[in-house]
Amino acid sequence: PLGTLGGAIYNAGYIVYLLENDYYYATNHASGLFEPHTYFGLIKVSEQNDTPYIKNPNFYALKMFTNYFGDVLVETEVTGSPTFETIALSCKDYYNWPAEQDIPGLKVIASTKGNKVYLMVINRDLDYDIKANILLDKQSFSNAKVYILNGPSINATNISDSENVNIKTTIIENASASFDYIFEKHSVTVIEYEISE
């Protein structure tokens, strides 16, 4: 499952957890660079001569943090997020995850670098887009860029179609410190603001 969009969203949430809890070192067996199969790794070595490699969804999850994230965390607060629940999952001796209830659909973290503010929002809900009001404490912004990691389903891979799971870019014109935004289901979104001097 880690070679899917769902695995990429899980790993993005895991990285947010590490950042919020001041871990200085972590490993993830699913993030090995090259793997010759579909389940793990950032890059899949292709079995076809015309396509030398395939970027797995995890590649794009890490790209979100590498290219669209700052180096100083800033305080965020989420109120009134819709919640969802999960069923228990187990697979022999590999894992045993209990059922969970009241999981917030939105996971949010923000950072800055220079004159840029990055707001990362993970919509973990598998079935619903979530409309949210964003309120920032800075007042003067230029247009905001938006980067969205998503795909057609939580189980989407890039094996048969290299563009299945990818990052798309849009712009919020006349960006302001307060606005409504709809976060797509099963997605990772970064809104990048440039603070006007």
Side-chain angles (χ1 to χ4, degrees), residues 38-184:
T38 61
Y39 299 110
F40 304 104
L42 302 178
I43 308 281
K44 179 189 181 300
V45 179
S46 178
E47 298 168 358
Q48 302 171 3
N49 292 332
D50 58 337
T51 306
Y53 62 88
I54 296 167
K55 297 174 185 174
N56 277 335
N58 266 327
F59 172 91
Y60 293 104
L62 290 182
K63 182 177 180 178
M64 296 291 276
F65 287 92
T66 303
N67 291 3
Y68 319 122
F69 201 73
D71 50 15
V72 178
L73 296 183
V74 295
E75 185 178 347
T76 59
E77 181 181 1
V78 179
T79 59
S81 172
T83 61
F84 65 99
E85 59 186 46
T86 63
I87 60 172
L89 294 172
S90 62
C91 179
K92 298 183 181 181
D93 297 328
Y94 295 111
Y95 57 80
N96 185 10
W97 292 327
E100 296 285 345
Q101 295 183 344
D102 298 323
I103 302 169
L106 297 181
K107 182 68 179 170
V108 179
I109 191 168
S111 61
T112 61
K113 185 172 185 177
N115 66 336
K116 291 188 177 179
V117 177
Y118 300 89
L119 177 67
M120 177 178 282
V121 179
I122 304 172
N123 183 352
R124 301 181 288 193
D125 197 298
L126 304 183
D127 300 312
Y128 298 103
D129 297 345
I130 298 177
K131 182 178 181 179
N133 178 257
I134 313 275
L135 180 62
L136 304 168
D137 66 356
K138 300 289 183 183
Q139 298 300 317
S140 299
F141 296 102
S142 63
N143 293 342
K145 295 180 182 176
V146 182
Y147 307 92
I148 304 167
L149 170 62
N150 207 347
S153 75
I154 198 72
N155 295 315
T157 69
N158 285 342
I159 301 305
S160 59
D161 181 356
S162 62
E163 300 299 317
N164 233 3
V165 178
N166 208 329
I167 297 171
K168 61 184 178 182
T169 305
T170 62
I171 293 177
I172 301 174
E173 295 181 359
N174 301 317
S176 65
S178 178
F179 64 97
D180 290 336
Y181 192 84
I182 297 175
F183 294 96
E184 299 176 7

Side-chain angles (χ1 to χ4, degrees), residues 21-47:
N21 290 279
D22 295 323
Y23 280 83
Y24 64 93
Y25 178 77
T27 60
N28 186 343
H29 71 278
S31 294
L33 185 55
F34 289 97
E35 294 288 349
H37 48 72
T38 61
Y39 299 110
F40 304 104
L42 302 178
I43 308 281
K44 179 189 181 300
V45 179
S46 178
E47 298 168 358

